[in-house]
Amino acid sequence: MRALQFTAYGGPEVLEWGDAPDPHAGPGQIRIAVRAASVNPIDWKSFAGVLSGGQPIVGTGYLGYDAAGVVDEVGEGVTGVSVGDEVLGRGRNTQAEYAVLDSWAAKPSSIDWAVAAAAGVAGETAERGLRLLDVKAGDTIFVDGGAGGGGAAAVQMAIALGARVIASSSEANHDYLREIGATPVLYGEGVVSRVRAAAGGPVDAVFDVAGKTPVEDLISLAPEPSQVVTIANYAAGQAGARVTGGGADSRPMAALAQVAELLAQNKLVIRCRLFRSTAPPMPTASVRAATSAENSS
Ligand SMILES: NC(=O)c1ccc[n+]([C@@H]2O[C@H](COP(=O)([O-])OP(=O)(O)OC[C@H]3O[C@@H](n4cnc5c(N)ncnc54)[C@H](OP(=O)(O)O)[C@@H]3O)[C@@H](O)[C@H]2O)c1
């Protein structure tokens, strides 16, 4: 099959389409013929070598952590999904003609492939953060970085739970935040007082999706340090906030079922920027986070 790959660390110029071994669904997995795959920050971190700990690259690297497509192999022990079903989900090396998914949900028929592809990582991450924070109807929460891939999913999923959401972004994204139901505040210096003013009362939980604001500032907004959950500031645990990287605290199948339902109900709308590559036989390309690449073949 064809897959996006790299054999040296660097910028986007190291990426190329090439032949790759066919993956197969192991126990508990499915394989899909990929129709679209999204790009998340972890993709650039991978090919830039940020995750390598300073070690040189060994072998060939592949990209992609979520995708949407048509099931063509069902692994041992998997029930409830059949060859030919249209799904979205999470896996590894999804920027390819075929990809193995570890978790998935039926793709709502009303949602196009690119949006479905962009739902996996962002949706699961948002579900995880909101669940860890126990966000419920009537809560007021602050999402720091609300206009990004994970943030916009978190904003809309929190609103679907009945919470009131204050979210930070650049000025340019304030209209977008209003559109998805959040009260926007500018991030950066002074963000704490802007959130307090917007909340007009206690903030029940803080979801740090950007990892840019000093964790002490975020903790000062929350009723207790553990009511700050971050996906992007791995040092935040030292101050008492909770860091989640999506291991034992992830419930991906349940999360993706919820995400698919919200997509079908139009309660979760994912803003996508679509890129197609001209590389045959799988015209796909890479884009920034929360965007998708669609395979038009
Ligand atoms: N731990 C996990 O399980 C997990 C899972 C998924 C992602 N992540 C990580 O989480 C981070 C965000 O991912 P993403 O997909 O949401 O990225 P993204 O789509 O690139 O969004 C990042 C957002 O951060 C905002 N931002 C920039 N500077 C900021 C600041 N000073 N304060 C607050 N927000 C700021 C940006 O807002 P503007 O666009 O308005 O400037 C942008 O919307 C990445 O580091 C990613 O690797 C972790």
Side-chain angles (χ1 to χ4, degrees):
M1 70 160 186
R2 306 279 288 170
L4 192 62
Q5 52 198 272
F6 57 100
T7 53
Y9 293 132
E13 72 283 353
V14 303
L15 303 179
E16 57 182 10
W17 286 99
D19 292 336
D22 284 0
H24 291 287
Q29 298 177 320
I30 59 172
R31 188 178 84 164
I32 60 170
V34 175
R35 294 295 304 270
S38 95
V39 174
N40 292 282
I42 193 168
D43 291 299
W44 75 258
K45 292 176 185 176
S46 300
F47 70 74
V50 172
L51 308 175
S52 72
Q55 298 301 310
I57 191 166
V58 179
T60 303
Y62 300 97
L63 294 173
Y65 287 78
D66 51 12
V70 180
V71 178
D72 82 334
E73 273 184 18
V74 176
E76 194 189 315
V78 173
T79 56
V81 66
S82 306
V83 168
D85 287 356
E86 296 182 350
V87 297
L88 58 88
R90 297 184 45 136
R92 288 283 176 99
N93 307 342
T94 57
Q95 293 279 356
E97 215 175 335
Y98 296 95
V100 168
L101 300 184
D102 303 308
S103 53
W104 58 87
K107 182 182 90 64
S109 55
S110 56
I111 298 303
D112 72 36
W113 289 109
V115 170
V121 169
E124 185 279 328
T125 306
E127 184 278 341
R128 179 164 22 103
L130 298 175
R131 173 168 44 79
L132 292 173
L133 288 164
D134 192 27
V135 172
K136 49 193 180 311
D139 284 355
T140 297
I141 74 160
F142 172 48
V143 178
D144 199 19
V155 165
Q156 295 172 85
M157 291 170 77
I159 287 169
L161 289 169
R164 183 162 76 99
V165 181
I166 297 155
S168 72
S169 75
S170 59
E171 191 84 49
N173 276 322
H174 281 192
D175 282 347
Y176 171 59
L177 285 177
R178 280 188 204 97
E179 203 179 293
I180 60 175
T183 301
V185 294
L186 183 66
Y187 56 52
E189 207 179 327
V191 67
V192 168
S193 53
R194 289 190 286 278
V195 174
R196 281 195 212 289
V203 172
D204 299 291
V206 175
F207 191 11
D208 172 20
V209 190
K212 306 275 192 194
T213 305
V215 67
E216 294 75 16
D217 290 357
L218 297 178
I219 285 173
S220 75
L221 284 166
E224 55 186 89
S226 63
Q227 273 303 86
V228 176
V229 164
T230 179
I231 61 167
N233 177 355
Y234 282 85
Q238 290 160 16
R242 285 182 286 168
V243 180
T244 173
D249 57 9
S250 179
R251 295 181 193 160
M253 290 294 275
L256 293 180
Q258 186 185 333
V259 165
E261 194 179 329
L262 292 173
L263 285 169
Q265 295 170 346
N266 239 15
K267 291 182 177 169
L268 172 60
V269 176
I270 298 177
R271 185 170 66 161
C272 282
R273 206 167 141 213
L274 184 63
F275 288 73
R276 294 176 203 270
S277 101
T278 51
M282 186 197 169
T284 305
S286 298
V287 289
R288 64 172 288 278
T291 61
S292 288
E294 186 168 275
N295 176 7
S296 62
S297 63

